[in-house]
Structures are given as structure tokens and as C-alpha cells.
Amino acid sequence: MAKLNLDGKEIKPLKICVIGDGDFIGACLCEKIIYDSPHQVTLMDESHKIKHLFGGNAARIDRFSYLNIDVPADVARLQPVLDAADILINIPAVCLPADYSTRTFDTIKSNFLDVVPLIEYCSEKNKRLIHLSSSEVYGKTTAGYLLKDDPLRKDPKFYVLKEDESPCILGSIDKRRWSYACAQQLTERLISAEGDEHGLEYTIVRAFNWVGPRMDFIPGVDGPCNGVPTVLTSFSNSLLRREPLKLVDGGYYLRTFCFIEDAMVALLLMIDNPERANGQIFNVGNPNTEISIKELANLMIRVHAKFNREPRSNYSTVAVSSEVFYGKGYDDCDRRIPDMTIINRQLGWKPKFTLQEIVEVFLIYQHKTYSKSERSSNRAS
């Protein structure tokens, strides 16, 4: 029986090209497409964690292909795949907070300069484009220009971010922390302009901290990966090594977290409902999971200790400055909460996973995948 979209129309098989992040979001999206849709998908990226997609049902694997390719550097191999695709989904390659200050040029290049030809191609060839942007485009949020003792800072409405209303406030140029946000803003504006002026069919997705198994990397374990992973992975790495969890600037900033499976449901809805998704900018996050980074560390300690049947006192936290942890030029915002009005109205999407469930699933995966590697690493050191 044919699957129907939200408007009762048959979902016809499409050829989809996913560009980037075969280690996490791109791989998870391909997996979702293979198992829950009739579409064909090609993933183009240099990935170290893609092997899980090559097993299983042969019919599903017939609908999946993988090109191990440095996309900006190998345009000749890129062209035939793009020409055959109905939808192009672009996922940024450089998007870790630790990169913003230490790899500023690469951050801007990957998230803007390298994307410009893809936008122009989609516009010229009438290809539909889904671009994965970020909550980073909102920058310091509305409260960023208020004095620290301003009572308005305590009003939650200043932190609820709306795609079509909230201002995008960035720090000064020497605060290289905002290089990623600025590059993504430029990309969003170019995509929107191509839509208005040349009829580009597009959807922009602002991701609010998508997390889950296979995200990021463990330094020294996952192949050639270097640097600092995002917060959940950094905390889990410290737990596995029995080292103090590092709280940047005390861990007082608040964030929300969205489980990757919830996010993939949202992306598939966008693919299958073009009439509802075209020309839209969607926040995709979970406002119900807001927590301070310090509280997140304590939650992860509790869950990890419970799984390992150990006292919580075996684990600890320590405050470090952002300059020491990330490098000179880092900056941040206090709080970001996604407004879900547009995506709920257009696609009927709401996240399902609680923060407790997210942390438990993530830590179980990390323990099964990395605990032996970490023990070996500790003995070797």
C-alpha cells in the first residue's frame, strides 16, 4: 500500500543526495530514508562511521549509495550525482563550537563559501534544496544587549526564538565565536534571495542541539579526529576516563537538546510534504528539555553511576574558563529556547523524547562503544 503525505497525496519515490556529515546527521538521515520511505539516497562525505548502513535488508541497501568524497575539492565526481537527484540536502562540515575560534576561516568557508555554488546550481537546475542551518544564527539572543541587572533578563519571552520575528544579534569581530553564526546567516539570506528572485524551492532547518548515538568523536579513539567534541560527548568522555567534567565558565548557560530520531522524523516530513515545507524556515528543537550545562553534568553523572552501580561521589565537576577550554575569542549566549509554532502548524511535528531518555540512550551507547577503548587508552598512558 502506497504511503500518503499529510495532504493525502501518494509519496512518490525520489532521488535524494545528502551532502556532508556521514558520521552523524547525514548517516542518521540516510538510515531514516532507507527504512521509513520509498526514496533512494546517496550520501557524499568523508566518513569514518558509515559501515552500519551497509548491512541488513538488500532491498534497502539497493536504495542507498555512498561516495567517500571531499565535496568542495572533487566537483567532477559530484556533478553526475547532483544531476540525477530530485532533492539536495546540505549539512555543514565544520560546525563544532571548538572550531569557531581555532578554525575560523575553515568555518566560514565550509558554511558559506563552499555552499554558494550549490545554491546557484539548485537555482539554475530547478533542484529542491534543504539546507541544515543552526540555532546559532540567533546569536546572543534578544537579551544579549540588556545589562546584566536588567529585570527583563528574567522574562522568558526574550529567550523564545521565532523564525520570522527574533533578531539575530552577533558579537564583535574579535569574538570569533560568531564566525559560524555569521556564515550560516549569510547562507540563509542567499537561499532566501534565490527563492524570492529566481524561484528556488528551498527549506531551511535551524537545528537546536541535535544529539544521540554516533555523534561527535572521542579524541584519540575515533580515527584522525582532533579537537574538542560537543558537550554531551565531552562529558561522557570524562565519565569513561573518570576525570572531572569541565564546566565552561561555570556551566551556567542554559540549552535545550533534541534527540536525533525526533529530528529525523521532522526532516522526512519536510521531504515528503514539499507544498508545506517549501519557502519555510523551521526551528527543529525540543523546548521541554531546557537545562543548565552544570545541571546536565550532574544528570549525566547520576545516570552513568547508576548504570555502573557506583556511587556518584566517584565523579566530579570542575569550572574552567572559556578561553582556556576553547581559546581566545570565544563568546556565548545565556539561553536559547526554540519556538515551535511554524513547524507544528505546517507539519504537525512535535518532539517526543525527554531529556532523561536522551541521556540514558546516549550514555548506554557511549559505554558499549567506547568503554574498552578508554580503558586501553588509560593503561597505555
Side-chain angles (χ1 to χ4, degrees), residues 20 71 79 88 96 158 203 230 252 288 315 350:
V71 174
Q79 195 71 37
L88 277 66
L96 292 175
F158 281 107
T203 304
T230 53
Y252 296 109
N288 301 316
Y315 305 94
K350 290 182 179 179

Short mmCIF file of all heavy atoms in Angstrom, two decimals, residues 20 71 79 88 96 158 203 230 252 288 315 350:
data_model
loop_
_atom_site.label_atom_id
_atom_site.label_comp_id
_atom_site.label_asym_id
_atom_site.label_seq_id
_atom_site.Cartn_x
_atom_site.Cartn_y
_atom_site.Cartn_z
N GLY A 20 27.40 15.77 3.14
CA GLY A 20 28.04 16.10 4.40
C GLY A 20 27.59 15.29 5.60
O GLY A 20 26.51 14.70 5.63
N VAL A 71 33.74 16.95 -0.85
CA VAL A 71 32.82 17.59 -1.79
C VAL A 71 33.39 18.84 -2.44
O VAL A 71 33.38 18.97 -3.67
CB VAL A 71 31.47 17.88 -1.11
CG1 VAL A 71 30.57 18.67 -2.04
CG2 VAL A 71 30.80 16.57 -0.71
N GLN A 79 29.12 16.16 -9.93
CA GLN A 79 28.13 16.61 -10.92
C GLN A 79 27.13 15.55 -11.34
O GLN A 79 25.92 15.80 -11.33
CB GLN A 79 28.86 17.16 -12.15
CG GLN A 79 27.97 17.99 -13.08
CD GLN A 79 27.59 19.33 -12.47
OE1 GLN A 79 28.40 19.95 -11.79
NE2 GLN A 79 26.37 19.76 -12.70
N LEU A 88 18.44 18.01 -2.98
CA LEU A 88 19.77 18.08 -2.39
C LEU A 88 19.63 18.54 -0.95
O LEU A 88 18.96 19.55 -0.68
CB LEU A 88 20.66 19.04 -3.17
CG LEU A 88 21.34 18.50 -4.43
CD1 LEU A 88 20.31 18.16 -5.50
CD2 LEU A 88 22.32 19.51 -5.00
N LEU A 96 31.44 22.56 14.94
CA LEU A 96 31.67 22.35 16.36
C LEU A 96 32.09 23.65 17.03
O LEU A 96 32.91 24.39 16.47
CB LEU A 96 32.75 21.29 16.58
CG LEU A 96 32.41 19.85 16.18
CD1 LEU A 96 33.64 18.97 16.34
CD2 LEU A 96 31.26 19.32 17.00
N PHE A 158 12.06 36.69 26.15
CA PHE A 158 13.25 37.18 25.47
C PHE A 158 14.13 36.06 24.95
O PHE A 158 15.03 36.29 24.15
CB PHE A 158 14.07 38.09 26.41
CG PHE A 158 13.51 39.47 26.53
CD1 PHE A 158 12.87 39.87 27.69
CD2 PHE A 158 13.60 40.37 25.49
CE1 PHE A 158 12.34 41.14 27.81
CE2 PHE A 158 13.08 41.65 25.59
CZ PHE A 158 12.45 42.04 26.75
N THR A 203 14.01 24.72 1.72
CA THR A 203 13.62 24.68 3.13
C THR A 203 14.88 24.87 3.95
O THR A 203 15.90 24.23 3.68
CB THR A 203 12.96 23.33 3.48
OG1 THR A 203 11.85 23.09 2.62
CG2 THR A 203 12.49 23.34 4.94
N THR A 230 31.34 18.19 21.19
CA THR A 230 30.30 18.95 21.86
C THR A 230 30.05 18.40 23.27
O THR A 230 30.61 17.40 23.67
CB THR A 230 29.00 18.94 21.05
OG1 THR A 230 28.64 17.59 20.74
CG2 THR A 230 29.16 19.72 19.76
N TYR A 252 26.80 27.74 33.63
CA TYR A 252 25.53 28.38 33.99
C TYR A 252 24.63 28.67 32.78
O TYR A 252 23.46 29.00 32.95
CB TYR A 252 25.79 29.67 34.77
CG TYR A 252 26.46 29.41 36.10
CD1 TYR A 252 27.79 29.75 36.32
CD2 TYR A 252 25.77 28.78 37.13
CE1 TYR A 252 28.41 29.49 37.53
CE2 TYR A 252 26.37 28.51 38.35
CZ TYR A 252 27.70 28.87 38.54
OH TYR A 252 28.31 28.60 39.74
N ASN A 288 11.21 21.52 25.73
CA ASN A 288 10.91 20.89 27.03
C ASN A 288 12.14 20.28 27.71
O ASN A 288 12.02 19.72 28.80
CB ASN A 288 9.85 19.80 26.83
CG ASN A 288 8.56 20.35 26.25
OD1 ASN A 288 8.07 21.39 26.67
ND2 ASN A 288 8.02 19.66 25.26
N TYR A 315 32.62 10.60 40.82
CA TYR A 315 32.71 11.53 39.69
C TYR A 315 32.54 12.96 40.20
O TYR A 315 31.90 13.20 41.22
CB TYR A 315 31.64 11.21 38.65
CG TYR A 315 31.69 9.76 38.20
CD1 TYR A 315 30.89 8.80 38.81
CD2 TYR A 315 32.55 9.37 37.18
CE1 TYR A 315 30.95 7.47 38.41
CE2 TYR A 315 32.61 8.05 36.77
CZ TYR A 315 31.81 7.10 37.39
OH TYR A 315 31.88 5.78 36.99
N LYS A 350 6.06 17.47 16.63
CA LYS A 350 6.46 17.79 17.99
C LYS A 350 7.48 16.74 18.44
O LYS A 350 7.33 15.56 18.12
CB LYS A 350 5.26 17.77 18.95
CG LYS A 350 4.27 18.91 18.76
CD LYS A 350 3.17 18.82 19.80
CE LYS A 350 2.17 19.96 19.66
NZ LYS A 350 1.06 19.87 20.66
#
